[in-house]
Amino acid sequence: MNYQENNQAQINEKDLKLLFDQYFESIRSFIYYKLGDIDAAEDIAQEAYIKFWEAREKVIKETAKTYLYTIANNLAMNYIKHNKVVLQFEQKQNKKDGETETNPEFKMELNEFQHSLEETINQLPDKSKEVFLMNRMEGLTYAEISDRLDVSIKAIEKRMSKALSILRSNLKINI
């Protein structure tokens, strides 16, 4: 029996277990493609279930999966924001410590390219960005992405094509 077959009025522990068994792996993978850190993805996926349980009285059973993914996505975004602040602080500290770079021209070019790449990826339309990262970072096939996002393979192909086109034109690279 899967979660959708159990339609009682309120979410209970049995429902939570069914939700966990049915969706935990895909939620963890969903977070992993956003973060690139399996340990953080595991922690955030577990935290999403805790927050879901705490809000169970507000949850409509038919939207439980969507609600779980929304919680997980929000937690992942908060994690990313936090890490950006930490990274900025570390970079300022490194500059203050007076670290010398072995090849400043190479490091400058590398930093510029990485910055351009990050900016371009962040400027992709959300749906195209999601498909691009799932394919290129997580290594999922179009069929797997289609299944996970519950859209057609043609939609995945179109989103990926749009992402690659934007990346090619903005970065002038061959992807």
Side-chain angles (χ1 to χ4, degrees):
M1 175 169 78
N2 69 22
Y3 175 72
Q4 280 93 8
E5 294 169 357
N6 188 0
N7 267 334
Q8 297 173 2
Q10 189 177 18
I11 304 283
N12 58 35
E13 289 179 26
K14 183 179 178 183
D15 295 328
L16 184 66
K17 172 140 180 40
L18 288 170
L19 282 166
F20 187 87
D21 292 344
Q22 194 167 0
Y23 300 117
F24 182 79
E25 291 296 323
S26 63
I27 288 174
R28 183 179 60 193
S29 295
F30 171 74
I31 298 166
Y32 174 68
Y33 99 84
K34 288 182 177 288
L35 305 180
D37 181 342
I38 192 66
D39 294 327
E42 179 96 16
D43 291 344
I44 290 171
Q46 290 175 5
E47 188 177 345
Y49 277 90
I50 291 168
K51 290 197 176 291
F52 177 85
W53 179 251
E54 291 169 350
R56 68 187 176 276
E57 293 174 5
K58 298 184 246 174
V59 178
I60 300 168
K61 282 195 172 193
E62 291 75 30
T63 62
K65 177 183 175 185
T66 303
Y67 193 69
L68 269 168
Y69 272 90
T70 301
I71 292 170
N73 187 56
N74 290 342
L75 290 170
M77 293 299 109
N78 289 341
Y79 178 87
I80 290 168
K81 288 176 189 173
H82 172 74
N83 281 349
K84 282 183 181 179
V85 170
V86 170
L87 180 63
Q88 288 171 351
F89 176 77
E90 288 174 352
Q91 287 174 342
K92 285 179 184 177
Q93 286 303 111
N94 288 342
K95 287 179 184 177
K96 286 180 184 176
D97 294 341
E99 288 185 356
T100 58
E101 299 171 357
T102 55
N103 184 345
E105 184 178 342
F106 174 76
K107 284 200 170 204
M108 184 180 75
E109 289 175 4
L110 181 62
N111 286 339
E112 287 176 4
F113 178 76
Q114 287 175 332
H115 181 72
S116 296
L117 178 62
E118 287 173 10
E119 276 187 1
T120 303
I121 289 173
N122 286 332
Q123 291 173 0
L124 291 173
D126 288 341
K127 292 178 180 180
S128 295
K129 179 169 119 178
E130 183 177 40
V131 169
F132 176 81
L133 292 173
M134 289 175 94
N135 178 257
R136 297 299 167 111
M137 301 302 281
E138 196 174 334
L140 296 177
T141 65
Y142 288 178
E144 291 168 328
I145 297 169
S146 169
D147 184 51
R148 196 172 283 178
L149 298 179
D150 198 27
V151 296
S152 71
I153 292 177
K154 280 289 185 198
I156 299 302
E157 290 171 352
K158 185 174 181 180
R159 291 175 186 180
M160 186 62 151
S161 175
K162 185 173 188 174
L164 293 174
S165 175
I166 292 170
L167 286 166
R168 279 187 199 106
S169 66
N170 288 1
L171 298 175
K172 296 175 180 52
I173 57 173
N174 199 6
I175 300 177

